Amino acid sequence: MLRYLGLGILLIFVVIALIAPLISPGDPHAYKGPMLSAPNDEYLLGTNDVGQDILSQLIYGSRTSLFIGITVGLISTSLSVGLGLLSGFNRKLDPYIMGLCNTILAIPNLLIVIIIVAFTGTNLWNVIVVLSLLTWPGYARIIRSEVMSLRERDYVKAVSTFGAKQNYILYKHILPGISSLAVVKFINTAQSAIVAEASLSFLGLGDVTKISWGMMLHYAFESDSTFISSAWQWWVLPPTACITLLIVSFAFLGYGKDSKKISRRTLNNKKVTKEDSKSELLSNETLLNIKDLEIKYLINTNQKKHKFGHKTAVNKASLTVHKGEIMALVGESGSGKTTIAKSLLRMLPSAQVSGTIQFKKNSVLDMTANEYKKLRWVDISMIFQDAKQSLNPVMKIGDQVDEVLVYRLGMKREHARSRTKGLLNDVGLDQSVINKYPHELSGGMCTRAVISMALACEPELLIADEPTSSLDTITRKKVLQLLKSKVDQFNLSMLFITHDMGVVAEMADTVAVIKNGEIVEDGSVWDVFDSPEHPYTKELIGSRNTSEFYKVSVKG
């Protein structure tokens, strides 16, 4: 309600400013009336000490205040957004841009404005340029922080993996995510600029050739007659009220509501039998071979002395995935499951990765960046853990699926849209989903949309990182069945990451158990469930979740 009230007040001022020559009773500069005339039929708001019509000046003054507020707001917001984007996304430019920000923030702005305007002249554009250049750093730092956060989101990493250029990512995926910050920045800066102009004009540093509310107050307070008579009532109060109303209207524009949806996770029942395991029927063709994989992160071991060391996230891990196989990588949170998955996509730029990762007998770690770009999403694709986090919240579903087809397969937009409709239909989504945003879909529908993106290029290896962890029982079962059917339909292999042994029993042909970055046991689902060897595997199988909720039973 307040936002609409603010918009209404602002629109009234804008209309008044635009049609000022049509509605003004006379020339605001003319000296036609009697001095300090009280409001009457001819001069509705009276006159000042030189006979100028106050109502005319008030109407024309709206032009100056709005022009300065909007112009400074646009220039300053553009600088904040542009430099904040570059600083947050480009690590090379970040120190220089932030250094400039810190320097400007250390300067007392009002003092600098007064000094510069006093020496360069009171031209209106001097005020605009100075205010614009001094008001961008604060929000640039905030935008930089948000960009650095968005840069690590799954949907941004996903679009990076299929070869989108930096400018496209910034414009299409990062910029919409900071649009609300840009709006707040514009509103706050416009408010500040209006107040700053009024303050400078009041101090006599405004443009004397322009009528403004600040200049009206300056002349009112300079006159000896203002406060020894009742003239202050029609000379001081109207411009003060207008400045206040305009600032309040901008403030009200910033009001809004955010809503969040919370998904709840529930469990289902599953029994495991030997018939569920088809590992003996799998192809002997090796698709993915990981041997002695070691991944280390650089960490600060002593903050006071700034000493750094390495923390091992994955230690000598070895896995083999065959053509047409569903392998489950199971372990508790923090065990290294997702780290292994991201190493396959080379999404760990700050980590030290050693060992061997071979995909179709080609070394992934030895590939050049351009060679590996051709692999992502075409031969290897990934379903990230939280489907809603993997989708850009400000892009329609259809546009996000189109991106994969356009950038990875080189399709034209119209052909991509036709293919998108088919992909969404294949995962059981209605055509209306194309024009919907992620927040308009349920968790299961978002998961299906992400699956359609992952399958768009018909990859040979699909990595599914706990895709059903946030879904309810019924939806989870449907999604698992969908994934399993797509494995059979496209004859692809899948590395299914989970911490849930019940899901392992339902989905996998083979399973690898990981603990503290080490593969402690692997084999067919039947062998691992029937005769677990490692204590940790026995603990997972015998856990409360598995025994009570899933009621796992082994039948020969």
Side-chain angles (χ1 to χ4, degrees):
M1 183 64 185
L2 287 176
R3 183 157 53 177
Y4 294 114
L5 177 60
L7 181 61
I9 297 172
L10 181 59
L11 285 176
I12 291 173
F13 278 115
V14 170
V15 170
I16 290 173
L18 291 174
I19 63 173
L22 300 177
I23 63 174
S24 177
D27 184 353
H29 296 282
Y31 307 99
K32 294 182 177 180
M35 294 185 296
L36 297 178
S37 173
N40 53 55
D41 293 339
E42 185 178 0
Y43 301 102
L44 297 180
L45 287 180
T47 61
N48 59 21
D49 61 344
V50 292
Q52 294 172 319
D53 182 23
I54 290 177
L55 178 57
S56 298
Q57 291 195 333
L58 206 63
I59 291 172
Y60 274 88
S62 63
R63 286 187 154 191
T64 304
S65 293
L66 280 172
F67 178 72
I68 282 191
I70 292 173
T71 305
V72 172
L74 288 174
I75 296 174
S76 181
T77 301
S78 299
L79 288 171
S80 293
V81 171
L83 294 174
L85 279 171
L86 286 176
S87 181
F89 207 82
N90 191 314
R91 295 181 180 180
K92 292 182 180 179
L93 293 176
D94 183 41
Y96 302 103
I97 296 175
M98 284 301 101
L100 180 60
C101 280
N102 295 335
T103 302
I104 296 176
L105 286 172
I107 298 173
N109 285 2
L110 182 59
L111 178 61
I112 293 299
V113 171
I114 292 173
I115 292 173
I116 292 177
V117 171
F119 279 93
T120 61
T122 56
N123 182 276
L124 196 63
W125 278 104
N126 288 346
V127 176
I128 290 173
V129 170
V130 172
L131 291 177
S132 299
L133 293 179
L134 290 176
T135 54
W136 66 266
Y139 264 87
R141 292 174 63 90
I142 296 173
I143 289 171
R144 167 187 175 265
S145 299
E146 185 65 16
V147 170
M148 293 178 74
S149 173
L150 291 172
R151 188 180 63 188
E152 300 303 317
R153 301 287 176 87
D154 288 342
Y155 65 84
V156 175
K157 289 185 176 181
V159 76
S160 300
T161 60
F162 59 73
K165 295 181 180 179
Q166 177 176 309
N167 290 341
Y168 177 84
I169 295 172
L170 287 173
Y171 171 73
K172 198 72 175 179
H173 291 274
I174 301 294
L175 186 58
I178 61 171
S179 58
S180 58
L181 280 175
V183 170
V184 173
K185 160 63 179 170
F186 171 78
I187 291 172
N188 288 341
T189 304
Q191 285 179 293
S192 301
I194 292 168
V195 173
E197 185 279 330
S199 301
L200 289 172
S201 296
F202 178 75
L203 295 174
L205 297 175
D207 190 342
V208 294
T209 64
K210 303 290 182 182
I211 297 293
S212 72
W213 296 331
M215 289 302 298
M216 291 177 67
L217 292 174
H218 169 70
Y219 289 125
F221 277 80
E222 267 200 339
S223 174
D224 297 332
S225 307
T226 304
F227 295 99
I228 62 175
S229 66
S230 59
W232 63 272
Q233 298 177 23
W234 63 81
W235 195 359
V236 175
L237 293 183
T240 303
C242 286
I243 293 171
T244 303
L245 271 177
L246 187 55
I247 292 171
V248 168
S249 71
F250 275 106
F252 283 171
L253 282 177
Y255 279 79
K257 292 184 178 180
D258 293 323
S259 60
K260 294 182 179 180
K261 294 181 179 179
I262 301 175
S263 300
R264 183 169 180 168
R265 179 182 176 218
T266 57
L267 300 169
N268 64 337
N269 296 323
K270 170 65 185 175
K271 293 184 178 181
V272 180
T273 65
K274 189 170 184 177
E275 286 74 22
D276 289 326
S277 175
K278 64 174 184 178
S279 58
E280 296 177 1
L281 303 177
L282 294 173
S283 167
N284 289 324
E285 181 184 350
T286 299
L287 183 70
L288 176 69
N289 184 31
I290 301 174
K291 187 175 181 181
D292 295 331
L293 180 64
E294 191 170 69
I295 302 173
K296 295 180 179 180
Y297 289 103
L298 185 67
I299 61 170
N300 191 343
T301 57
N302 191 321
Q303 293 184 352
K304 292 184 178 180
K305 297 183 178 180
H306 300 289
K307 290 185 177 180
F308 294 87
H310 289 91
K311 179 181 179 181
T312 301
V314 176
N315 185 27
K316 302 296 182 182
S318 297
L319 291 173
T320 301
V321 180
H322 296 91
K323 186 73 175 177
E325 175 183 356
I326 300 178
M327 168 173 272
L329 183 58
V330 61
E332 61 191 359
S333 298
S335 59
K337 307 185 299 296
T338 301
T339 301
I340 290 177
K342 289 186 175 180
S343 71
L344 302 182
L345 289 169
R346 287 184 34 179
M347 294 176 65
L348 301 171
S350 60
Q352 291 184 2
V353 183
S354 60
T356 302
I357 301 176
Q358 286 189 326
F359 180 75
K360 295 197 299 186
K361 298 183 179 180
N362 296 316
S363 176
V364 170
L365 298 180
D366 293 334
M367 289 181 180
T368 64
N370 289 332
E371 288 174 337
Y372 196 76
K373 279 183 180 179
K374 298 177 182 178
L375 204 66
R376 289 171 170 165
W377 287 83
V378 176
D379 294 316
I380 303 176
S381 64
M382 185 169 180
I383 303 170
F384 292 90
Q385 187 168 355
D386 189 334
K388 287 203 171 183
Q389 292 295 326
S390 303
L391 294 169
N392 190 328
V394 294
M395 279 183 68
K396 294 179 179 179
I397 297 296
D399 294 335
Q400 299 193 51
V401 181
D402 288 348
E403 274 189 336
V404 181
L405 300 168
V406 170
Y407 278 90
R408 295 314 290 138
L409 299 183
M411 285 188 179
K412 293 184 178 179
R413 288 285 177 181
E414 56 270 19
H415 296 155
R417 178 48 56 94
S418 177
R419 171 73 173 141
T420 293
K421 292 178 180 178
L423 287 167
L424 294 175
N425 183 66
D426 287 344
V427 296
L429 291 177
D430 188 78
Q431 297 298 302
S432 61
V433 170
I434 287 176
N435 295 315
K436 291 185 177 180
Y437 292 95
H439 73 270
E440 298 179 279
L441 306 182
S442 66
M445 294 172 76
C446 285
T447 301
R448 289 172 183 267
V450 171
I451 291 172
S452 71
M453 294 171 64
L455 297 176
C457 302
E458 299 182 8
E460 294 184 66
L461 176 64
L462 177 63
I463 303 169
D465 186 4
E466 301 195 47
T468 62
S469 60
S470 61
L471 303 180
D472 60 78
T473 307
I474 297 174
T475 306
R476 177 166 62 172
K477 187 172 183 65
K478 289 180 179 179
V479 170
L480 292 177
Q481 290 173 345
L482 173 64
L483 284 172
K484 206 164 187 179
S485 68
K486 292 305 175 184
V487 169
D488 294 333
Q489 178 183 345
F490 295 109
N491 190 31
L492 55 86
S493 304
M494 182 162 66
L495 181 62
F496 194 94
I497 297 171
T498 183
H499 61 269
D500 198 324
M501 291 301 286
V503 174
V504 173
E506 187 169 347
M507 288 292 294
D509 305 308
T510 56
V511 57
V513 181
I514 184 170
K515 179 177 175 61
N516 297 329
E518 296 184 8
I519 303 294
V520 296
E521 187 166 355
D522 66 280
S524 70
V525 169
W526 165 252
D527 291 335
V528 171
F529 273 85
D530 184 29
S531 306
E533 297 179 358
H534 197 276
Y536 181 62
T537 308
K538 295 177 182 178
E539 181 183 341
L540 289 176
I541 294 175
S543 67
R544 174 181 171 83
N545 279 352
T546 304
S547 61
E548 183 173 333
F549 290 104
Y550 294 97
K551 303 184 185 301
V552 177
S553 63
V554 180
K555 297 181 180 179

